[in-house]
Amino acid sequence: MNVNIQTVHFDADVKLKSYIEKKLSKLLQIHYRITKVDVYLKLDNVVHTIKDKVAEIKVHIPKYDFFVKHSSKSFEESFDEALDSVILQIKRKKEKLAA
């Protein structure tokens, strides 16, 4: 599984990147054929004084692509919410294919 972490409008520290990679390693327990995961971290200016942190996750499985976008006040919280959503999407697709 290839992991690609891209940041937009800022530089992520090593701690944040290792946190993301650790969480993404759990995806292989959900589906073993995941080939690539793209993570995009962005600073989104909703209001001029408040910056929301946006996490986008793209998961590539042969024949299927999953995409989730979530925003909150911290990158960890945004990433966790997005990861939970993408795990739910993958589980639904597996159940649908198994039926």
Side-chain angles (χ1 to χ4, degrees):
M1 175 174 79
N2 290 337
V3 176
N4 181 20
I5 301 173
Q6 293 185 359
T7 58
V8 181
H9 303 302
F10 78 103
D11 292 325
D13 60 346
V14 177
K15 185 179 173 185
L16 180 61
K17 287 184 178 182
S18 63
Y19 175 81
I20 290 171
E21 289 173 358
K22 180 183 165 197
K23 290 281 194 168
L24 287 177
S25 65
K26 296 177 183 176
L27 278 178
L28 286 175
Q29 296 172 355
I30 308 298
H31 200 293
Y32 68 95
R33 295 189 67 197
I34 296 174
T35 56
K36 184 178 174 186
V37 178
D38 294 324
V39 178
Y40 302 98
L41 302 174
K42 301 178 185 178
L43 288 175
D44 192 19
N45 293 335
V46 177
V47 181
H48 295 293
T49 57
I50 300 173
K51 290 189 175 184
D52 276 339
K53 278 79 172 179
V54 179
E56 298 178 357
I57 302 174
K58 280 186 190 176
V59 178
H60 304 280
I61 298 174
K63 298 183 184 178
Y64 301 104
D65 287 335
F66 301 95
F67 178 79
V68 174
K69 179 179 180 180
H70 199 278
S71 64
S72 69
K73 298 297 177 197
S74 73
F75 283 115
E76 289 84 359
E77 185 180 344
S78 298
F79 178 76
D80 287 344
E81 292 287 332
L83 186 64
D84 291 343
S85 297
V86 82
I87 286 172
L88 191 63
Q89 285 183 12
I90 293 170
K91 284 182 178 179
R92 280 191 201 142
K93 181 57 80 175
K94 275 181 73 173
E95 289 172 5
K96 198 174 191 180
L97 293 174

